[in-house]
Amino acid sequence: MTRRQFVFVATLMATVGWAKASFWKRRFEEVLLGDPTQEGVTMDLRNSLNGIFSNAEAPRLLGERYLNDYPDGRTGSLALAEYLRQTGVPTSEGVKRMLAQKCESDFYRGDLVSIDGVLLARTEAEACALTILL
Amino acid sequence: MLVDFQESEKDTVVECELCVIGAGPAGITIAREFQESDVRVCLVESGGLEADEKTQALCEGQNIGLPYFPLDHTRLRYFGGTTNHWAGQCAPLMKMDFEFRPWVPFSGWPITKSDLDLYYEKAIPIAHLGRNVFDERAWSFFDLEPPQFLQKKITHHFWQRSKNPIQEPEVMPLYYTPLRFGHIYKDELKNAENITVLLNANVTELSTGHKGQSVTHLNVSTLDGRHGRIKAKKFVLACGALENARLLLISNQANRQGIGNENDLVGRFFMEHPTTRCGILVGADEDAILEVYKMRFSEGMRYRPGMAMSEDVQIEEGCLNAACTFDPEEETHPGLKAARQIFHSMKEMKLPNNLTGHVWSILRDLGQISDYAFCRFKGNVYCSHVMHLYVRMEQAPTPDSRLMLSSERDALGLQRVNLDWRLKDIQRRTAKAMMKCLGSEFGRLKIGRIQLADWLQEDRDPEWDGSYHHMGTTRMSDDPKTGVVDPDCRVHGVHNLYIAGSSVFPTSGFVNPTFTIVALALRLADHLKSQLS
């Protein structure tokens, strides 16, 4: 092997190794620390949810009651967050629209929950719970 | 003609072909159907032309079941019967009300709605109603857009109020007086040559032959001690669901259990229309809602819309037929109350008592007062109102809900009744299903949200109210083992005794009973005509 060939192969291997290491490092970060872009959406989702409630205290209280009264409320609420993330609509308006559609579907199907006797669409209660969970 | 039995000879015997006992809506309707016929009719009425305390006291009885109204308040015992104080609300039963529903034990009539449709049509002018429309089609009479509920959940239903063609301005100048059967049809019956209206004649017994297979005559008495007899070919009991059963039970000479009671059914299956507040509407535009659901006029007739649970929901949820109306109630905030008292006193140019207290109440309640003032400023009427959701439903028939003879006796020496009104859990389940249906539809249509009443949240029984509607105590059935009268309203086993009125209803629907009482009376009159001709 000439000196020129050695330098070429070494450079190639180093490049491939670096690329591979970078790839796995990225996957590692994603799995253990979360996807930085998805994290951005979570931050936005929290802000967006806060943006659609005119009063911060009421949804917190409703959310607390919902999580307290309905044992599966946490799972359902996190599933709602996942659904909103997947739709990629981080603005308050977008989230509001998506929630309104889901609420309408809940009302249509009669999927209601009772919080302090008030009959709400399940999505309404889950959205309130997300103000605590996110 | 009208005859006061108190002025008759001693031991009078009246003879006729058809004797109708009770001059309420059923009795009067049957008697009118025989005007200008060859059939001599005697219409026997316990009271006179006006209310009388002593006669009314004959209706007294005791409630031994759920809390209920005093029994002498719920019906009236003089010419015209209980239509003398009814609200005039009329609507036909629905198709499903007549059907057997596996989830409602003892449900099902031996006749269908189509058997009654013709008679409902004929009952319209008798009850002085408008067009024969009681469902969604009635919206077309009014220039407004109702909420577009999913038909598989909620349907709109209309009551009509019978209108009295002769208004009684001296009684209620600004009120739409319902039809009073006695008032409207008195002259017709008075002038009918073949009809005798016997007033102040109390039937004390239906006397049967030895085997109890036919009624031979009635024994009648006045409160001042005159007695007499009425003989007829056919007899019709039309005294209301409590008195019909009472008279059958009292008439126990041939059979200790009373007439038509071989299977211990007389007096059982007593039904009311249980009603109660089930929740409130929150976050809604009260004025807009009440604009749609208020009582309204079309062609001079009064209509009231309500929201009924669909057949689909009744089947899915296994519940009863029910309807909901809005019942706005003004909230009594102390500040508002105080402000009103000051306002009314000042209109009379004087200062109210406890002025300082009122001013203090206003100062402590300034938030509510300013909200109220702003709401009124915007032109709304129902400010500071709570919108209660008032549900009325059918009662599930049960033999445990019943009336029995008591050991107490009335002024004529007849046993009074004890009423043991009972309800099943399905009533509460029905209220819950109704609220869920309305909650989902109000949410979907962005009308508002429902807050359930405490009793529904806590899953306990409410304080049920009745509606002054007595039904079911001589129910109709093909089989004598499950009913007192047959589909022709004839008492099983007694060939010449018939029963008219809501006591024959096997189930009650949620609508007021009088319209169906009149329709069934017309049907019975047709049957009697064929029998007597």
Side-chain angles (χ1 to χ4, degrees):
Chain A
M1 180 184 283
T2 63
R3 198 171 63 184
R4 184 178 292 176
Q5 282 172 325
F6 173 76
V7 170
F8 177 75
V9 170
T11 309
L12 186 68
M13 283 176 70
T15 308
V16 170
W18 175 82
K20 208 171 172 181
S22 296
F23 173 78
W24 282 113
K25 182 173 182 286
R26 190 182 157 93
R27 291 297 301 151
F28 176 78
E29 281 171 354
E30 273 179 26
V31 171
L32 289 184
L33 306 173
D35 184 346
T37 54
Q38 290 293 308
E39 180 65 19
V41 172
T42 303
M43 288 297 293
D44 284 345
L45 184 56
R46 188 185 304 153
N47 289 333
S48 301
L49 276 170
N50 288 337
I52 65 174
F53 295 117
S54 55
N55 171 349
E57 193 55 22
R60 272 195 89 76
L61 284 172
L62 281 170
E64 265 175 30
R65 292 305 295 261
Y66 174 60
L67 292 172
N68 197 38
D69 294 352
Y70 290 81
D72 60 344
R74 185 186 170 84
T75 317
S77 303
L78 290 174
L80 173 67
E82 189 55 35
Y83 168 80
L84 292 171
R85 278 195 195 107
Q86 282 170 5
T87 57
V89 278
T91 64
S92 280
E93 270 311 304
V95 169
K96 199 172 175 178
R97 202 167 45 245
M98 292 302 292
L99 287 177
Q101 278 172 6
K102 257 185 88 59
C103 286
E104 190 174 338
S105 159
D106 287 350
F107 283 127
Y108 184 86
R109 289 180 291 113
D111 189 8
L112 307 183
V113 295
S114 167
I115 312 286
D116 280 343
V118 179
L119 297 180
L120 300 173
R122 186 175 294 277
T123 302
E124 288 179 300
E126 287 172 350
C128 290
L130 284 181
T131 62
I132 298 166
L133 293 175
L134 288 183
Chain B
M1 75 186 129
L2 302 180
V3 174
D4 187 343
F5 195 61
Q6 290 180 135
E7 292 165 8
S8 63
E9 305 268 315
K10 200 180 168 191
D11 296 327
T12 301
V13 177
V14 178
E15 293 200 29
C16 56
E17 272 91 43
L18 175 64
C19 175
V20 182
I21 309 159
I28 286 178
T29 301
I30 292 171
R32 286 184 69 242
E33 286 297 295
F34 283 89
Q35 283 180 94
E36 295 171 18
S37 75
D38 295 333
V39 178
R40 282 175 302 140
V41 178
C42 181
L43 179 58
V44 188
E45 170 53 46
S46 163
L49 291 175
E50 300 295 333
D52 157 56
E53 272 182 36
K54 283 183 184 165
T55 306
Q56 188 60 28
L58 297 171
C59 288
E60 285 171 10
Q62 223 185 334
N63 287 303
I64 59 170
L66 288 169
Y68 192 64
F69 309 109
L71 298 186
D72 55 326
H73 289 193
T74 54
R75 52 225 164 109
L76 291 174
R77 204 167 167 129
Y78 66 100
F79 190 68
T82 305
T83 64
N84 285 302
H85 73 177
W86 74 324
Q89 293 220 126
C90 288
L93 288 169
M94 296 165 179
K95 186 170 161 277
M96 197 174 177
D97 294 328
F98 291 85
E99 293 168 0
F100 170 69
R101 290 159 286 164
W103 63 94
V104 184
F106 307 103
S107 61
W109 292 50
I111 59 173
T112 63
K113 178 154 188 289
S114 57
D115 292 323
L116 267 194
D117 278 341
L118 169 73
Y119 297 103
Y120 275 132
E121 182 96 41
K122 281 179 74 177
I124 292 246
I126 295 170
H128 286 257
L129 302 175
R131 285 183 259 178
N132 190 8
V133 178
F134 296 89
D135 56 19
E136 305 268 355
R137 291 170 296 158
W139 286 117
S140 64
F141 306 162
F142 316 107
D143 186 22
L144 50 83
E145 270 292 305
Q148 299 298 312
F149 292 128
L150 290 173
Q151 294 287 299
K152 65 176 184 179
K153 287 189 176 179
I154 301 285
T155 58
H156 279 115
H157 175 82
F158 281 81
W159 282 272
Q160 290 186 38
R161 276 211 176 168
S162 72
K163 187 181 182 182
N164 195 340
I166 307 168
Q167 286 291 333
E168 300 168 69
E170 74 281 4
V171 182
M172 297 180 197
L174 297 173
Y175 190 68
Y176 179 99
T177 319
L179 178 85
R180 307 288 179 217
F181 271 65
H183 190 181
I184 297 303
Y185 296 121
K186 183 183 74 184
D187 288 343
E188 263 184 38
L189 295 172
K190 186 179 168 184
N191 297 330
E193 285 180 8
N194 63 323
I195 298 174
T196 303
V197 179
L198 211 54
L199 298 168
N200 297 306
N202 298 285
V203 175
T204 55
E205 188 185 22
L206 284 74
S207 196
T208 57
H210 177 60
K211 290 182 180 171
Q213 290 171 342
S214 65
V215 175
T216 53
H217 64 272
L218 306 178
N219 291 328
V220 288
S221 294
T222 62
L223 281 170
D224 59 7
R226 273 167 216 271
H227 303 286
R229 284 177 167 205
I230 302 170
K231 291 182 176 175
K233 287 182 182 165
K234 306 275 180 198
F235 294 88
V236 178
L237 258 182
C239 305
L242 300 188
E243 289 303 307
N244 282 351
R246 183 187 179 199
L247 276 171
L248 291 178
L249 292 171
I250 280 172
S251 304
N252 57 2
Q253 272 195 340
N255 185 338
R256 275 187 59 205
Q257 288 183 299
I259 296 174
N261 199 25
E262 284 74 14
N263 294 297
D264 188 23
L265 292 169
V266 174
R268 291 191 182 271
F269 295 97
F270 171 82
M271 295 179 291
E272 247 283 2
H273 282 129
T275 59
T276 194
R277 286 172 170 177
C278 291
I280 56 173
L281 181 62
V282 292
D285 180 346
E286 286 88 353
D287 277 61
I289 283 288
L290 287 173
E291 183 53 32
V292 175
Y293 287 101
K294 70 183 181 186
M295 186 82 78
R296 51 183 66 253
F297 285 89
S298 169
E299 296 170 349
M301 304 309 298
R302 209 164 187 182
Y303 292 78
R304 187 182 190 199
M307 296 157 284
M309 194 148 58
S310 71
E311 291 187 359
D312 289 348
V313 174
Q314 291 178 57
I315 294 166
E316 274 166 31
E317 302 281 339
C319 58
L320 302 161
N321 200 359
C324 181
T325 50
F326 291 104
D327 182 17
E329 183 186 57
E330 188 158 23
E331 277 189 297
T332 48
H333 297 295
L336 273 175
K337 208 170 159 187
R340 282 207 185 97
Q341 287 203 355
I342 293 176
F343 177 73
H344 289 307
S345 299
M346 288 178 70
K347 269 200 338 193
E348 292 169 16
M349 304 295 282
K350 58 184 183 189
L351 284 175
N353 296 332
N354 191 18
L355 179 64
T356 328
H358 288 328
V359 172
W360 182 236
S361 295
I362 291 170
L363 288 173
R364 286 201 308 180
D365 211 5
L366 274 178
Q368 286 291 347
I369 291 174
S370 56
D371 284 353
Y372 179 80
F374 183 63
C375 177
R376 291 303 298 258
F377 175 74
K378 286 197 297 183
N380 295 326
V381 178
Y382 290 97
C383 301
S384 188
H385 274 68
V386 181
M387 295 283 281
H388 292 280
L389 293 156
Y390 189 73
V391 172
R392 170 189 284 179
M393 62 183 79
E394 71 170 314
Q395 175 175 341
T398 167
D400 301 340
S401 182
R402 64 183 297 201
L403 70 87
M404 294 159 282
L405 293 179
S406 112
S407 54
E408 285 185 26
R409 291 180 184 269
D410 66 13
L412 295 164
L414 304 178
Q415 284 174 277
R416 294 191 185 280
V417 289
N418 286 338
L419 178 64
D420 187 0
W421 182 34
R422 295 193 195 186
L423 295 168
K424 295 285 193 189
D425 284 347
I426 193 172
Q427 309 294 152
R428 194 172 32 169
R429 205 146 35 84
T430 299
K432 217 171 186 173
M434 181 93 216
M435 286 301 100
K436 189 183 165 196
C437 253
L438 285 173
S440 57
E441 282 302 277
F442 287 170
R444 189 181 66 82
L445 297 170
K446 299 179 177 58
I447 291 171
R449 300 287 183 274
I450 284 177
Q451 182 168 26
L452 300 174
D454 290 347
W455 65 270
L456 272 174
Q457 291 183 50
E458 293 157 14
D459 209 18
R460 59 177 164 83
D461 278 322
E463 286 176 13
W464 293 104
D465 271 333
S467 309
Y468 281 35
H469 301 159
H470 305 155
M471 298 163 282
T473 54
T474 63
R475 67 202 318 259
M476 185 194 288
S477 171
D478 281 323
D479 183 353
K481 289 190 178 125
T482 54
V484 176
V485 300
D486 69 13
D488 289 326
C489 296
R490 189 179 64 89
V491 175
H492 283 293
V494 187
H495 74 79
N496 66 343
L497 177 62
Y498 294 82
I499 297 187
S502 50
S503 64
V504 305
F505 292 10
T507 55
S508 65
F510 66 76
V511 297
N512 304 49
T514 306
F515 192 47
T516 303
I517 289 173
V518 174
L520 275 171
L522 290 167
R523 182 171 171 273
L524 174 55
D526 269 3
H527 174 77
L528 290 167
K529 279 179 201 168
S530 71
Q531 296 285 304
L532 289 165
S533 62

